[in-house]
Amino acid sequence: MRRILIANRGEIARRIIRTARLMGIETVAVYSDADANAPHVREATLAVHIGPAPATESYLRADKIIEAALKTGSDAIHPGYGFLSENAAFADACLGAGLIFIGPGADAIRAMGLKDGAKRLMRQAGVPIVPGYQGDDQSLDRLQRSANAIGYPILIKAVAGGGGKGMRRVDDADSFADALLAAKREAARAFGNDSVLIEKYLTQPRHVEVQVFADTHGNVVHLFERDCSLQRRHQKVVEEAPAPGLPESIRKAMGEAAVKAAKAINYVGAGTVEFILDVSEGIEKAPFYFMEMNTRLQVEHPVTEFITGYDLVEWQIRVARGEALPAKQKDIRIHGHAVEVRLYAEDAEGGFLPSTGRLERLHLPANQAGVRVDSGVEEGQEITVHYDPMIAKLIAHGTDRTVAIDRLVNALDATIAVGPKTNRGFLARLIGHPAFRAEEIDTGFIERHMGELAPIINVPDRLLALAALAAATPRAAPDMSSPWTALRSWRLNLPYRQSVDLFLPDNTKRTVTLTRTAEGMISVGGLDEPLLASPAWRDDYRFEVDFSGSLARATVLAHEHSLEVRVGGLTFHFGLRDNAEGDKGALPRDGKLMAPMPGKVLGIFVKPGQSVEAGDRLLVLEAMKMEHRLTAPAAGTVKAVHIGENDQVPEGRLLIELDVEQASA
Ligand code: ADP
């Protein structure tokens, strides 16, 4: 194999390029209009433009990608994950064009493509599956009877589902019919297939998946498990390997079941067999069930690479070249522990809405011991609505779980991203949470602890003072070389007396006053007790305040109208103006509901003249592959609806106007 075309973008394209280069193999990048300046394009040996920004017109265009491979004399295609990676027709088309598809055969992809078929197949192969109904009869009567027989709560799942879409939990027989209709509607829209399956809803499960690998010589091995139980809306947020507290007997049984699953479909290459582990009665004898198999390399593969010491992309390429697997089962061992988090451009403090825009600053901790960073974007690059908003994966390894978590905490602390909002602070709170450290994990973890994972609103006085001082003077020019210059400009710019409004995450306002004293210090008022302070910027982000001999050091990031202050592993968020007024996407006090981001209108639930209560669903907008509900900020009457279903709307577009009822005093 001399040259591989990578039918993907972002971090996974760069990841594949890295290994190919080590193996002396050339790479071909493909890119859309939006990615002309993306790092994967520059890092590949060659690059081919394949179309406009929307993935349907570029990264999902099998024909253009195969044409690019042929034109560049590539002999193989690596699909990465997402996009065409689990598309059986694409795998076939590659073969048809005389190209090697770096992945399993199309039949194996098809066998695992639909959840119902995959489960039936696994049941036959003797792999345990969650009790449920996976039949073809999709009538309400049949499905309702199955649900009743299983016993509530049950879960309705779209057979073609993915990414947590098309799933509905149902708690009693009475709400089944409505939930079924909703699930089928969502599935039809998202996957063009409204078939569903019904299964027992496990109330306290862990998501444990096993990495498998198979070659064309009949060898199949597993590379142990990953625990991906920390999820939000059924999507993974933190992944680790091995699974904390998993008894050796279960580990062994799961590994064997995964190998059995791979063998049942004559699997070749890298795959992941996902299991759900029922820990409601404790983990010692927890039963596990097959959930689905992902027939590709996964986002979270680095934690497995860390604990096994193998390069899974290298294994993929070797298998595709027809070589035998590089290791035998008995030689594959677990070394230490690894944890991964996904850094996303999303407003974790504001309801997890996706956030777009230019990454003004991006610093990722590339050189810390035991830390690996796989990133897809660079400083200056735009996070667009077209693709997954992942900025980077941060992965840490250590001799044990505590060391790995500590390293990841430090890595997150050293991560600087200015521009779009990110989930960095949320991730730091999550992996720093005592219950996570104590291995008290299951898929309900995030929901259960949401209160403690929310941004801090009880801010100590010294921190309010520090934030106000940092906000009072805009930072010196970013390339300012000497901190002393910055310090001088600070003193020069600060008027005799100034007040700073700081808005806490719950939008309460604290007004802090800063008054210069004769000694050149600053007296900070508006707090429980006044403080005397002497502040200084040490560089672009490091800010220090000497409070009468006691020094407070913080990392301070300012962007537009917000301030992020990090002290001792904690992150505090401050708004510098009232979020409820004027900010895009904020509560429309004038009754005008604007699009908080560009997106597609999936559904409109109100008509002009209709009266609504505060919190009523008005419309659903799809942006960055996620659905966002926009709800009525207050009771009122719908005055006008300015958009139609399926409309593509730009950010700030007027969507719906309400006549808001005046609150009676
Ligand atoms: P998708 O393909 O949409 O990601 P999965 O079948 O992989 O859907 O399930 C995603 C997540 O949903 C799982 O990791 C788990 O947290 C939850 N889940 C799936 N099946 C069940 C179940 N039977 N009971 C409880 N939770 C479940």
Side-chain angles (χ1 to χ4, degrees), residues 495-532:
Y496 170 67
R497 193 188 159 85
Q498 178 173 358
S499 68
V500 179
D501 289 340
L502 296 171
F503 293 88
L504 301 180
D506 62 355
N507 222 25
T508 52
K509 180 165 92 173
R510 297 292 302 265
T511 301
V512 177
T513 58
L514 307 174
T515 313
R516 223 162 11 148
T517 67
E519 298 76 35
M521 307 275 281
I522 292 157
S523 156
V524 186
L527 309 168
D528 285 346
E529 308 248 319
L531 291 169
L532 257 192

Side-chain angles (χ1 to χ4, degrees), residues 184-226:
K184 279 189 169 283
R185 209 165 37 225
E186 195 172 312
R189 203 173 54 216
F191 313 110
N193 176 350
D194 76 351
S195 288
V196 296
L197 59 84
I198 311 285
E199 64 187 32
K200 177 91 201 138
Y201 181 85
L202 305 178
T203 47
Q204 206 188 340
R206 271 166 65 173
H207 175 120
V208 181
E209 56 185 37
V210 177
Q211 176 72 54
V212 293
F213 240 104
D215 63 22
T216 49
H217 306 277
N219 302 306
V220 187
V221 299
H222 70 81
L223 290 94
F224 299 104
E225 77 284 355
R226 297 185 283 261

Side-chain angles (χ1 to χ4, degrees), residues 570-653:
L570 296 178
T571 303
F572 299 84
H573 299 269
F574 301 95
L576 297 177
R577 69 170 192 200
D578 189 351
N579 213 17
E581 276 164 20
D583 223 1
K584 53 191 182 220
L587 300 183
R589 291 206 169 154
D590 58 357
K592 288 197 165 87
L593 188 81
M594 316 285 196
M597 69 210 114
K600 185 174 165 189
V601 179
L602 288 186
I604 303 172
F605 303 96
V606 290
K607 292 195 184 67
Q610 190 175 330
S611 55
V612 293
E613 293 298 323
D616 277 1
R617 182 171 65 159
L618 302 177
L619 108 179
V620 171
L621 197 63
E622 184 183 54
M624 301 176 101
K625 302 201 291 188
M626 309 238 300
E627 290 179 18
H628 305 280
R629 265 162 160 245
L630 301 188
T631 54
T637 313
V638 178
K639 200 157 101 189
V641 176
H642 293 280
I643 32 82
E645 264 179 35
N646 293 322
D647 280 5
Q648 194 76 40
V649 295
E651 179 176 322
R653 161 70 62 85

Side-chain angles (χ1 to χ4, degrees), residues 115 130 155 157 161-165 167 199-202 205 207 231 234 274 276 291-292 443:
K115 292 184 202 287
V130 186
L155 193 63
K157 271 190 198 180
K165 266 193 196 171
M167 266 203 268
E199 64 187 32
K200 177 91 201 138
Y201 181 85
L202 305 178
H207 175 120
Q231 305 183 344
H234 303 300
E274 295 189 335
I276 189 161
M291 224 171 1
E292 64 174 348
T443 59

